[in-house]
Every structure is written in structure tokens, then in C-alpha cells.
Amino acid sequence: VDDARLARQELRTLLSALPWVQCVGEADDVPAAREAITTLAPDLVLLDVQMPKLDGWQVLSELRRRGNTPVIMLTALDQDVDKLTGLRVGADDYVAKPFNPAEIVARIQAVLRRSARSVAEEPTGLIRQGPFEIDLRSHEVTVRNGEQAHALNFTLTEFRLLVHMARAPRQVHARVDLLHACLPEGDAQERTVDSHVSKLRRKLEDVGVI
């Protein structure tokens, strides 16, 4: 999704040549992006930030409300604050323009591997740990507190953090370990982990499980 025609053409040519890519769709603004994403149900979205009328942050927010399709922000904005904004909203990775073709292919592969691994590692697709039942396929989390069951909504990063810690509930998790296991490679900082963990904790406190 990019309003720059040459950028879209370059990416289409690059990605279409990859043997493991079946289909490449494109859109030049937010309404076209919404239609393409609904029609194609993509495995991954490359999303520009600066577009006419509505920006990429809004598309990303909509995607996160609807599901957990992996999203890589592709933009000319290269400031740390912009990267942190993208990661907090729920981006899986962040690539600044002009990009290196080999780098963007490697980042796409890394994001797709992380997305597939979360399901493949659990044959049933479910993790049951204490009060939690975590569905790795639908990314649904049910928390039981006594007789009450609560369905909670998490951002993709919050979900990854919960899964990572639920798989090793008696382990002390260092910030750097959580960063490498759950956040995009190369762009996140340890203080970003604190922000995500704080939001995750608040949601669990709201239903009385911690």
C-alpha cells in the first residue's frame, strides 16, 4: 500500500519474482487498501505511512482491530519516534525508504516465520496455562477468574509476550529476551518492552487475574 506508483511497481516486480510468493496485490490509498485487504486476505501487508487524506497508522489500527495480519511499515520517515509509534500501534517491523531489496525480502521472511511458528509449535493450536486459554490460530485469549470467563483483546506484540511467558510460566524473563522473542528485529529498544508489558499487565489487572 503506497501512493507512489514507482515504489509499488518496484515492490511488485521484486516480490513477484520470488518463488514462494503466490500473489501480489497493491493499493494507492486507504480506501483501495481496505478493499484489497478484504478481497485478498493477504498473508502480509507492506504499508506506507504518508498517504493522501488518511495515513498508514489508521490502516494499521483498523487491521489490528480486525485481526493479526502481519504488517511491515514501509516509509520515508526514519526517526526513532516514528518507529516506536508503529511498533506500539502493532506493526511487526519497520523499513525506511529508500530500502535495500535484499533487506526487505529478509524482513518479510522473518515476519512470516514468526507468524507461522506461533501456530506450528503447538500441535493443537492451544495453550492452557493457569487461568489462560490461548488460541494460537485465531489469537483469541480467554481468562478465567473463578466462575467468570473473560475474552480479552491484545495487540499483536502483547499477544506474543503473553504466549512467550505462558510457555515458561516459572521462568524469569529478561527484557532483552522478551525483545528478541516478541518484537521486530533490529528496531525495538528495551524501553519499548516495558511499555508493552505495562499495557498487558493493566488488561490482566482489569479482570482480576493478577
Side-chain angles (χ1 to χ4, degrees), residues 12-63:
R12 174 181 280 278
T13 299
L14 172 66
L15 299 176
S16 297
L18 299 173
W20 43 271
V21 174
Q22 296 180 346
C23 174
V24 180
E26 64 180 78
D28 61 359
D29 59 20
V30 171
R34 289 171 176 149
E35 182 178 354
I37 290 167
T38 300
T39 302
L40 298 175
D43 295 307
L44 181 140
V45 175
L46 291 172
L47 180 60
D48 188 29
V49 170
Q50 294 180 313
M51 290 183 289
K53 298 180 181 178
L54 299 174
D55 62 28
W57 301 135
Q58 292 166 288
V59 178
L60 177 58
S61 296
E62 290 177 16
L63 279 170

Side-chain angles (χ1 to χ4, degrees), residues 37 43-48 56 59-61 63-64 67-74 86-87 90-94 111 114 156 160 184:
I37 290 167
D43 295 307
L44 181 140
V45 175
L46 291 172
L47 180 60
D48 188 29
V59 178
L60 177 58
S61 296
L63 279 170
R64 287 294 162 260
N68 291 288
T69 302
V71 176
I72 296 177
M73 304 305 291
L74 182 64
L87 297 175
D92 293 87
D93 207 344
Y94 192 111
V111 169
R114 288 200 299 268
L156 184 58
R160 287 175 176 161

Side-chain angles (χ1 to χ4, degrees), residues 30-189:
V30 171
R34 289 171 176 149
E35 182 178 354
I37 290 167
T38 300
T39 302
L40 298 175
D43 295 307
L44 181 140
V45 175
L46 291 172
L47 180 60
D48 188 29
V49 170
Q50 294 180 313
M51 290 183 289
K53 298 180 181 178
L54 299 174
D55 62 28
W57 301 135
Q58 292 166 288
V59 178
L60 177 58
S61 296
E62 290 177 16
L63 279 170
R64 287 294 162 260
R65 287 195 295 269
R66 293 166 49 184
N68 291 288
T69 302
V71 176
I72 296 177
M73 304 305 291
L74 182 64
T75 173
L77 299 175
D78 192 23
Q79 301 298 318
D80 285 343
V81 65
D82 298 308
K83 295 182 180 182
L84 292 174
T85 297
L87 297 175
R88 285 168 181 155
V89 174
D92 293 87
D93 207 344
Y94 192 111
V95 179
K97 299 176 183 177
F99 56 83
N100 180 304
E103 177 189 3
I104 199 165
V105 170
R107 287 179 179 269
I108 289 171
Q109 290 176 312
V111 169
L112 289 175
R113 280 196 302 270
R114 288 200 299 268
S115 179
R117 187 169 61 239
S118 67
V119 174
E121 288 179 352
E122 304 289 336
T124 64
L126 292 174
I127 295 176
R128 292 185 176 90
Q129 186 63 251
F132 301 101
E133 181 176 292
I134 305 169
D135 190 320
L136 298 175
R137 293 186 171 88
S138 66
H139 284 208
E140 295 176 345
V141 178
T142 302
V143 180
R144 296 192 177 277
N145 182 10
E147 298 299 318
Q148 294 184 316
H150 305 272
L152 300 184
N153 294 318
F154 297 103
T155 67
L156 184 58
T157 299
E158 291 166 0
F159 181 83
R160 287 175 176 161
L161 287 166
L162 182 63
V163 168
H164 184 76
M165 291 186 283
R167 284 177 170 147
R170 295 175 180 84
Q171 179 177 329
V172 176
H173 300 275
R175 286 185 180 89
V176 66
D177 294 333
L178 294 175
L179 187 153
H180 291 312
C182 305
L183 276 77
E185 299 169 7
D187 284 326
Q189 302 179 29

